[in-house]
Amino acid sequence: MAQHPPLRFDPAFEVIPEDEGETQRALTEAMLAIQRKTHADTGYAHRAVHAKAHGYLRARFEVLADLPPELAQGLFASSASYDAILRFSTTPGDVLHDGVSTPRGAALKVLNVPGPRLSGSESETTQNYVLGNSPSFQIGTAKGFLRQLKPLAASTGRAEPLKKVLSGVTRTAEAALEMVGGKSATLTTLAGQAKTHLLGDSFFSQAALLHGDYFAKVALSPVSSDLVTLSGSPIDTSGHPDAIRETVQDYFRTCSAAWELRAQLATDIDAMPVEDAAAMWPEDESPYLPVARITALPQDTWSGDMREWVEDRMAFNPWMGLAAHRPLGSIMRARRPAYAAARAYRSQCNGAEISEPTGMPMT
C-alpha cells in the first residue's frame, strides 16, 4: 500500500471560483466552435475533442478480489465482472493525418454497474472513464484551459502541413527530455507525442475523482506481455494517414490484450491537490495500485457495426457513472456542461439518438 494512509475526502478540498459559470460557458462555446468547423468541413458532426478514433474493443472488466478497504470502494467494493467498451483516439477536434502527432486518449465504458448514481445519470447503468496518455493536464484549471482552447478552436481545420512541422519540432524536444528521464505534459500537448504504437501507452484520468470515502486518480496500464513490449515501439506514418488505426487493427487480428485499471489514492492535499489538474501526484508517496483487470480477445477493431454504434450513438463522459466516483476539480466540473452540449450537437446534426448502452450488440 501507499507509504502514508489515504486521505478521506473533505468537500472543502474543492474551491469553486465565483466566475466559474462564466468560464464554463466560454469553454462550452469554444468546444462547439470546433464541432461547427469540422462539421462544416466534413459534413459530419464529430466529437469536439477526441474526434479521430483508432479502434473499438469489446472487453471484459473484472474487479479484483480481496482489495484492501481503502481500494474496495464504489465500483470496486466487491469482486464482479462486467462487459466493457474501449475507444482509442487522438485528442484534437480535427481528424488529422497521423503524421501530426498529438496526444492519445482511451475512453472506457463499463456496462450494467449497480449503485447510487451521479445527478443526471440516475436512469443509466454505466461507469465512464475518459483518459489521456499523460499523468496530468498541461494546465491545471478550467480558466487556464480556456486560454489554451481558444486558439486551438480558431486553428481547427487549418494548415495541416504546418501542424506536421510543429509536431516534428516538439517531438524532437520531447525525445531529448525523455532521454534524461523527464516527460513534458506541455510539449506532449503541443504535438510532441512520439510516433509509437498506441497499444503500448498507459492512459490516465489526469484529474481526480472520488474513490468512495477517499479520492484518487486512475490509470489504465498494459500488463499482458505482448502489449508491454509495444511500449515505445515506433510506427511508420509516412504515406499512412491512419497508421495508428492500422497498427491497432493488425494487433487484434490474432492477439489478446490485458490492462489493469489502477488507482492512486491521495495521501496529502498539498502534494495532491484537487483543483490543480496539472499537479503530478508523487508516486513515491502513493503508487498506482490495481483495482480491476480489463481483457480483450482478438477481434476486428474497425468493424462497420461497432464503428457506427460507438461513433454515432455513444458518448463518453466522466459524469456518467456512480456517485462514489464523482469527478473533482474545475476542469472536471467544466466538462459537465461542455460534454452535454457537444453530445446534443452531435445527436441533432447527425440525426442519431445518443444513449448509454445496457448491453453489447450482437456480433
Side-chain angles (χ1 to χ4, degrees):
M1 287 301 299
Q3 293 186 5
H4 301 285
L7 184 63
R8 290 183 180 272
F9 179 74
D10 184 331
F13 293 160
E14 283 195 288
V15 181
I16 301 177
E18 291 184 1
D19 61 350
E20 182 159 282
E22 179 182 342
T23 300
Q24 289 181 356
R25 285 188 290 274
L27 269 170
T28 299
E29 181 54 38
M31 290 183 69
L32 286 172
I34 292 173
Q35 280 188 294
R36 295 185 190 111
K37 182 65 172 73
T38 56
H39 184 200
D41 288 347
T42 67
Y44 180 81
H46 292 275
R47 288 167 165 84
V49 289
H50 295 273
K52 186 172 185 178
H54 301 294
Y56 316 95
L57 285 175
R58 305 162 186 259
R60 198 68 183 161
F61 184 98
E62 297 177 272
V63 177
L64 300 181
D66 302 320
L67 292 173
E70 54 267 48
L71 289 176
Q73 302 276 325
L75 172 59
F76 312 102
S78 59
S79 178
S81 184
Y82 305 96
D83 286 329
I85 300 156
L86 270 167
R87 178 186 187 262
F88 296 108
S89 62
T90 34
T91 59
D94 302 63
V95 179
L96 298 170
H97 189 297
D98 286 350
V100 182
S101 57
T102 63
R104 287 93 175 263
L108 172 65
K109 192 183 293 285
V110 187
L111 310 187
N112 299 317
V113 173
R117 306 284 302 175
L118 286 163
S119 172
S121 72
E122 293 91 343
S123 62
E124 311 297 349
T125 59
T126 61
Q127 175 65 44
N128 287 220
Y129 293 98
V130 177
L131 311 167
N133 69 328
S134 178
S136 64
F137 281 101
Q138 176 200 0
I139 295 174
T141 66
K143 189 173 290 187
F145 184 61
L146 175 61
R147 288 194 296 270
Q148 182 190 57
L149 188 62
K150 283 181 176 179
L152 290 176
S155 69
T156 296
R158 299 179 185 172
E160 183 170 293
L162 179 61
K163 292 178 182 179
K164 287 184 180 180
V165 172
L166 171 65
S167 72
V169 171
T170 51
R171 272 198 310 274
T172 301
E174 180 65 37
L177 185 63
E178 290 183 4
M179 285 178 66
V180 294
K183 186 172 180 67
S184 166
T186 299
L187 288 178
T188 301
T189 300
L190 294 174
Q193 171 66 51
K195 294 182 182 180
T196 56
H197 205 299
L198 177 147
L199 293 177
D201 288 353
S202 290
F203 298 90
F204 304 83
S205 66
Q206 301 179 308
L209 307 97
L210 280 182
H211 194 82
D213 294 333
Y214 307 95
F215 61 109
K217 293 185 179 185
V218 300
L220 180 73
S221 297
V223 291
S224 55
S225 59
D226 286 342
L227 286 189
V228 171
T229 59
L230 292 176
S231 179
S233 175
I235 61 172
D236 181 12
T237 62
S238 303
H240 296 274
D242 301 311
I244 299 174
R245 180 230 298 171
E246 292 164 2
T247 56
V248 171
Q249 197 171 20
D250 287 347
Y251 177 90
F252 278 102
R253 284 195 175 96
T254 57
C255 296
S256 298
W259 297 262
E260 283 180 347
L261 190 73
R262 299 169 179 167
Q264 183 189 27
L265 294 169
T267 58
D268 179 339
I269 189 58
D270 294 324
M272 304 173 188
V274 163
E275 291 295 345
D276 181 5
M280 293 280 287
W281 290 13
E283 292 186 49
D284 58 344
E285 295 291 332
S286 179
Y288 281 91
L289 299 171
V291 291
R293 189 175 181 90
I294 299 97
T295 55
L297 298 175
Q299 58 192 278
D300 182 0
T301 60
W302 201 251
S303 71
D305 290 347
M306 192 71 169
R307 189 165 70 251
E308 178 183 358
W309 187 47
V310 177
E311 289 306 303
D312 293 350
R313 304 185 182 279
M314 193 177 296
F316 293 88
N317 186 337
W319 286 94
M320 195 65 65
L322 299 179
H325 302 299
R326 177 171 65 85
L328 301 173
S330 70
I331 284 183
M332 284 294 210
R333 291 192 298 271
R335 280 175 158 175
R336 191 171 199 169
Y339 279 30
R343 170 178 172 156
Y345 184 89
R346 288 172 54 217
S347 179
Q348 178 182 358
C349 294
N350 293 333
E353 180 183 356
I354 296 175
S355 61
E356 291 300 294
T358 58
M360 291 290 195
M362 299 297 291
T363 56

